Structures are given as C-alpha cells and as structure tokens.
Amino acid sequence: MPTRYYRMQNCIQPDVYANAAFTTQQTIGQTYEMALVPPSGIIVDFCWKVYGQANDGQAAVILNTYGVNDCSSCTGSPAPTAPGAVYSWAFNEVQGNGSYTIPTSCVNSTKRVYSNVSSFSDLVCGTQHFWQDVNLSIPFIGSNQYYNTLDSSGPGIAIGSVLVSNTGVVTAKFDCNGFNTCSGPAPSPVPTAPVPSPVPTAPVPSPVPTAPVPVPVPLRADYCLGAINNVTIVGGQYVFNGNYGLYGTGTGIYTFDIPSSHPIAFLNFGKTAQISYDGQFSQGVKAALDGNQYEYFYGQVTVTVTGDYGNISYECYNHGYMGGQNNLLFDTTTCPNLQPPVIPPQGDPELQYTLSYSDSVKGWPSFYSFFPDWMIGMNNYFYTFKAGNLYRHNTNPVRNNFYNVQHNSTLTSVFNQQPLENKLFKTINLESDSTWTVTLDSDIQTGASIDRTYFEKKEGAWFAFIRNNGTLPASADEYVMRSANGIGRSSSVSVSGSNTTINFSTNPLIEIGSDISVGDIIYYAPPPYSAIEMAGSVIAINVDLQQQINNIVINNSISGAVSIPIQDGFIMYIKNQEAESNGVLGHYCEFTITNTDSTPTELFAVESQVMKSYP
C-alpha cells in the first residue's frame, strides 16, 4: 500500500504546521485528533486538519476522526508529554552515507533527524542523542561516520559535525574547522618573538580619532525555494512552502502554482539576463510599484535564474507587494544551485539559430539551438569554441548537451487537413521509440497538453488522449464546450459553514441528471443570466424523489468561489477538462512535441484521430 504525505494545519494554532504520512488518499480539510510533532519539536495540540500535499511526513497515530473542516468537534486533548521533549535537527546526509574523515567545513544540511536536546552545545559525548522518528524509538544508525549537523529542522548551513555510532550515540563532536569540542588538549600557544625595548623617538602628535567603519553583514535567506514550490495566501501575503520569510535561490528553474486571484510578477527590470519568468496564463501587462512595466501570470509560473540578481521584489496584479517587497535574494551560501544550470542565449531566442552549410546540397539544411563563438570542421570532426574553451562534437553518448547545458528536443508542426471543416482532434499517436510531452493549440481552443507519462504503448506505437487544461474559475471560452452542462434554476439555497446545499424543484421536476459527479465545478448566473460566477465543487448529490429530496452539496471554500446570493439562480457545472479528455476543437491544430531524454531517440511520424464537429 503506497504511502501518501500531507501537510497538516493545527486547529488551535493555525500558524503551526507539520507533515504526516497516511496510507490512504486524504480530503483537504479532513480533521483528525492525532499525536503530531511540528518542526519546533513542541506539541501544541492534538487537533489537526489536512492542509495540502507534502513531500515527506512522520507516522502519526490517529485517535479520532472528524468531518471536513470540523475543528470545532475536536476535543483538543492536552498535548502529550514527550520523552524529555523532541527536537528536529538536520544532517547533511542520510544514515550510512556520512564521511569517514572529519569534516573541516560546514555545508548545507537538509536531512531530517530527531534529538532529545535542542542545541549543539547540549550534546554530551558518549550519550545517545539521535533517532529516526519523532517518538525516539528507532535509533539513527550512524555507521561510525561523520555528519554535518544543524540544530534546527533546516535546510541551512551546519554549525558543526558529529561522529555517530549505530545506536545514535554521539562519539565525538567537532566545530566547522574539524576541532574536537568533546575532548582533546587545548592547542599549544604559538611562541612569539620578544618585544624589543622601544627606542626613544620624538613625540608624534596623537592622531585625531575617527569613527570605526562598520563592516556590512551579508544578507542571508530565511528559506530556500525548491524546484517545485507550494503557494498559499496567508494574512494577505504570498507564502511559499508553508513558511514566510526572506526567500533565497541559487541558479536553476523554480516553479510556482499561482492562484488566479493573485497573478504575480517578479520585478526584474535591468536584471533579465540573470533572472527571467514566464507563466501558464497571462493576466496582462501594467506598471508595477517600482514604476516599470511587467507581465503578470497565474497558473504554473516558472522562474529561471542564471546568475546573481541580488535582491528583487515580487507583487500581485490586484493587491500590490503582498509581502514581496525586496523579499527574493540570490544566496548560494544558504541555498544550493538546482542542477543543471540553465544559460539562455543572448537576444531573442526566436530569432537566433546556429546554421550549418552542406556543400553537397549547396544550402543550409540544419538548425541548432547552441551558440558557439567559432566553429570548424577538421579531419571528419566538428569543433567549436565557447568562452575560450575548445569542444569536439559527437564524441560521447549524451545527446543535446552543449557546453555543459542540457537542452530539449522540440518539434512543431500542424494538422491542417480539410482546413475549411471544423474538427475535433481526439488523440495523438507517436511512431517513436520513446514518449514525448505534447502541447496543442487551435484557432478556437488553446492550452491542451499531454504529459509524456499519459502515453500507452499499443502495437509498437505510443497512444494518448488529448487533454484540455481548464482554468479555475473557467474562462468564458470554456462555457461553450461540451464539458459545460446546465441543470436549471434552483428552488432554494442554504449555507452551513463551508458547505452550500442547492435544492431543485421536484414538482415540476428539475432533473439534476446522471452526468454530474463529485468533483465537478458548480457555476451560477443570477437574472438576467448574463454573468457567470463559480460557486464551489460538488461533494454530494442527493436525489430521492419519494422523500422530496433533489439537491447537490458543494464545498464553497475552494479558491475563487463566490457565495450564491439568491435563491433562484441558474445553475450549471463544468467537468474536469483534463479528466474528460474532450480533445481540441478547431479548423486546424498546431502541436509542439518535446523530449527531455539525453539518449538517442527516433521519431518517424505523429498522427491524430480526428472527427468532424457537428455544432
């Protein structure tokens, strides 16, 4: 049974979070009474609710189960007495992967361990101090190796190192220079030459005292961003990965899932060569608070860092900085680079190519995505110069790696048979020995895609359905799609906390229908039915006409939901476009396929199953 990890929010102290491991899929807001230790090591209360997904988590015993967002029913049992309190620490390596030599420097430490003491100075040599779990029941198996250590949950730069046995006992501890601070002789003093008696000289006027010049303290990040960053809005601020503070990056690509109500721009004026950004959906361009023009994005937003951009701000299209003023720092001391580094070409990449001339065809048949300073063919080998270095091409099995930068293989083409006919493009079939990621746009719909993991191999080829990427709330062009369905006017609406019940008439009967399902998104339109608002997601469908029951129940707390202010609005729903696989509608379909492999890949043909659309 797979393990699933979720981020939990404490009911009594909502600013306290912890990660937990479950064996079943969880619903956002599901409330439990459980013993869970937050990163601070101090158990504040037993009542927790599911806040979102996480990458790791601790096993926790569930004492009682309550409903969705049902903190009020949880008894809030007093916190258990931990065995001498439990504290989260960070090592630079997992158990068994330490060093056999004493470290003489401190590095970034990200691996979570648990201890019965809170600080490095409290470690007592010859005493068991480290475990794998918060219950302090499974010793850390140190294999008599050295580990850089940080007396907090990290990530961050270690403050020393420890030698740990197979039972979690600290055999010795060292500072960042490798000196044993548990025991050992004090260093012998360095002898100094005797000071000669001063020779009398004429008195020198005393210099006028000057104020000491302060030494600037380098700015350091509180939290390091990762390749994938969870985004929440807490107290009117963007909060990344559950913690707010000064965020830092090294070089690499960083992605954020930005809600549609808070489109974001990264204020990189004058620094676009060091940091750039792009997004899935554009809210538009406007002047930011620094006086420069920026484009704001929501959905999946990607930030690419290639160099030291210093300290910049980010802000919301609708609400200003939202905690982002001077809050993003380039800090490779605290935050490691994400590999591999990405170095974009100078200038407009849409206009730059490296072309090769073929004497046999008297033309320029090949286009390359790399940009050398000079190139030459000699003795059946192709050589290029870049940044003063000489490279020989086609000499190793790694494909698409130029000047230590890994590139993707990309091909763009179009399905354009019978261009006057309106068609529905349903599938993609790849005659290839590998899968590719596919994005598709037509003259009517944009933003459809197929992840490479969606392909199934059938009769030697790779097959997948085309999936639309719907927005939440839906954009106006989605209302006319087949995934949108109307129910009718409601007879009454009632609200209880995060649940809204929408009732429909049983006489005359307004049929809810069998196409609607849990997870669909409900929209309503008040008279004169010209404006449409999102109301929530379906969590229950109740139809019992003999008992005069004919209603749906929705969760009104999802991002972007608006409360239904009237009793008799027109109700409609939109299916999950990615799951429904309705295809792409249009007269033609332009597609781009991308392969990220570094090994040879063959592609013979790209096909699509197409049907005529009958409006």
Side-chain angles (χ1 to χ4, degrees):
M1 185 174 296
T3 300
R4 297 175 170 88
Y5 300 104
Y6 291 89
R7 189 165 181 80
M8 309 296 293
Q9 182 182 37
N10 190 264
C11 287
I12 303 302
Q13 296 188 26
D15 59 340
V16 176
Y17 300 87
N19 295 349
F22 293 84
T23 57
T24 59
Q25 185 171 345
Q26 298 296 305
T27 302
I28 300 300
Q30 177 64 49
T31 306
Y32 294 104
E33 185 178 344
M34 59 196 304
L36 200 58
V37 181
S40 65
I42 302 173
I43 302 177
V44 296
D45 189 79
F46 269 10
C47 296
W48 300 83
K49 65 178 181 179
V50 179
Y51 185 76
Q53 292 185 337
N55 296 323
D56 57 11
Q58 55 185 278
V61 178
I62 297 176
L63 306 177
N64 287 298
T65 302
Y66 303 95
V68 175
N69 294 318
D70 196 15
C71 282
S72 59
S73 299
C74 184
T75 58
S77 301
T81 301
V86 180
Y87 303 93
S88 296
W89 286 51
F91 281 7
N92 67 316
E93 293 289 352
V94 297
Q95 62 180 18
N97 281 4
S99 170
Y100 286 104
T101 59
I102 301 174
T104 56
S105 63
C106 288
V107 299
N108 194 45
S109 299
T110 61
K111 311 303 181 183
R112 181 75 59 83
V113 297
Y114 298 93
S115 179
N116 54 359
V117 296
S118 62
S119 69
F120 188 80
S121 61
D122 291 336
L123 294 175
V124 177
C125 293
T127 304
Q128 183 178 13
H129 280 308
F130 293 109
W131 288 262
Q132 301 179 46
D133 63 321
V134 296
N135 298 318
L136 305 188
S137 60
I138 306 175
F140 182 87
I141 303 175
S143 302
N144 293 318
Q145 295 173 338
Y146 299 93
Y147 300 85
N148 267 189
T149 183
L150 175 65
D151 52 5
S152 69
S153 57
I157 300 299
I159 62 173
S161 59
V162 290
L163 177 62
V164 185
S165 73
N166 283 338
T167 58
V169 172
V170 174
T171 306
K173 65 177 183 177
F174 307 84
D175 62 17
C176 288
N177 296 317
F179 182 74
N180 189 337
T181 59
C182 274
S183 60
S188 302
V190 179
T192 58
V195 179
S197 301
V199 178
T201 59
V204 179
S206 299
V208 178
T210 58
V213 178
V215 178
V217 178
L219 196 61
R220 292 286 175 257
D222 298 323
Y223 302 102
C224 296
L225 299 179
I228 300 175
N229 300 277
N230 178 50
V231 181
T232 54
I233 308 300
V234 179
Q237 295 178 321
Y238 289 107
V239 176
F240 302 141
N241 304 318
N243 296 297
Y244 177 77
L246 178 59
Y247 299 112
T249 74
T251 59
I253 298 177
Y254 302 81
T255 60
F256 305 81
D257 190 12
I258 302 297
S260 60
S261 55
H262 300 286
I264 197 171
F266 291 85
L267 311 190
N268 61 345
F269 181 78
K271 301 179 178 180
T272 54
Q274 293 79 37
I275 180 170
S276 60
Y277 68 99
D278 198 357
Q280 185 177 9
F281 304 106
S282 175
Q283 182 69 26
V285 177
K286 74 167 189 174
L289 294 176
D290 68 352
N292 299 299
Q293 297 284 330
Y294 299 95
E295 186 170 9
Y296 293 74
F297 295 98
Y298 61 93
Q300 188 176 80
V301 174
T302 301
V303 175
T304 302
V305 180
T306 58
D308 186 354
Y309 57 83
N311 186 210
I312 69 168
S313 302
Y314 50 87
E315 69 171 59
C316 172
Y317 184 90
N318 301 311
H319 308 101
Y321 285 125
M322 291 184 61
Q325 185 173 18
N326 299 322
N327 205 50
L328 186 61
L329 178 70
F330 185 82
D331 180 9
T332 53
T333 300
T334 306
C335 304
N337 295 331
L338 301 182
Q339 298 299 328
V342 177
I343 305 175
Q346 297 299 311
D348 186 352
E350 298 296 328
L351 304 178
Q352 288 192 358
Y353 299 94
T354 296
L355 282 69
S356 62
Y357 180 83
S358 173
D359 190 66
S360 61
V361 299
K362 304 299 181 182
W364 306 82
S366 298
F367 293 74
Y368 301 98
S369 59
F370 59 91
F371 303 93
D373 298 328
W374 189 262
M375 58 185 183
I376 188 173
M378 185 174 62
N379 297 332
N380 294 323
Y381 284 105
F382 180 50
Y383 295 88
T384 64
F385 291 84
K386 183 71 172 179
N389 295 311
L390 174 65
Y391 296 84
R392 190 173 78 176
H393 291 239
N394 306 315
T395 56
N396 62 60
V398 179
R399 301 297 176 95
N400 281 355
N401 190 291
F402 302 101
Y403 316 128
N404 297 320
V405 177
Q406 189 68 38
H407 296 265
N408 298 331
S409 297
T410 301
L411 183 149
T412 299
S413 188
V414 63
F415 297 122
N416 197 28
Q417 190 176 13
Q418 297 177 328
L420 298 182
E421 298 266 351
N422 205 14
K423 300 173 285 295
L424 194 62
F425 299 86
K426 298 286 292 182
T427 65
I428 289 291
N429 190 51
L430 301 176
E431 298 286 344
S432 174
D433 59 357
S434 177
T435 60
W436 299 58
T437 296
V438 186
T439 59
L440 309 99
D441 296 301
S442 75
D443 57 325
I444 297 178
Q445 286 184 278
T446 60
S449 66
I450 306 175
D451 188 272
R452 67 181 302 176
T453 60
Y454 292 167
F455 282 91
E456 296 288 342
K457 198 167 189 178
K458 296 184 178 181
E459 298 180 352
W462 295 98
F463 173 89
F465 289 98
I466 296 174
R467 302 173 186 270
N468 289 312
N469 299 327
T471 59
L472 190 67
S475 56
D477 60 355
E478 294 179 48
Y479 299 151
V480 298
M481 298 293 106
R482 290 181 172 87
S483 57
N485 299 273
I487 299 177
R489 291 174 59 182
S490 60
S491 58
S492 64
V493 176
S494 61
V495 179
S496 176
S498 61
N499 293 343
T500 298
T501 302
I502 306 174
N503 297 295
F504 297 91
S505 171
T506 58
N507 187 20
L509 176 63
I510 300 294
E511 292 191 13
I512 295 176
S514 58
D515 286 344
I516 191 171
S517 57
V518 171
D520 292 348
I521 305 299
I522 294 294
Y523 294 80
Y524 77 93
Y529 311 117
S530 58
I532 299 177
E533 297 283 353
M534 185 181 73
S537 62
V538 177
I539 59 176
I541 305 167
N542 306 305
V543 178
D544 188 348
L545 298 182
Q546 292 183 347
Q547 300 296 324
Q548 304 297 306
I549 297 174
N550 190 29
N551 64 53
I552 57 177
V553 182
I554 65 174
N555 175 11
N556 59 35
S557 64
I558 66 174
S559 177
V562 177
S563 61
I564 303 177
I566 59 176
Q567 300 294 314
D568 59 345
F570 180 81
I571 306 299
M572 61 178 285
Y573 62 92
I574 295 181
K575 309 291 290 183
N576 184 309
Q577 293 206 28
E578 185 175 359
E580 291 297 311
S581 301
N582 289 316
V584 174
L585 182 67
H587 295 89
Y588 67 89
C589 180
E590 180 179 287
F591 65 91
T592 298
I593 61 175
T594 303
N595 188 285
T596 59
D597 294 340
S598 60
T599 55
T601 299
E602 293 184 351
L603 176 68
F604 178 73
V606 182
E607 304 165 300
S608 178
Q609 179 185 0
V610 183
M611 60 178 288
K612 178 175 171 55
S613 178
Y614 296 90

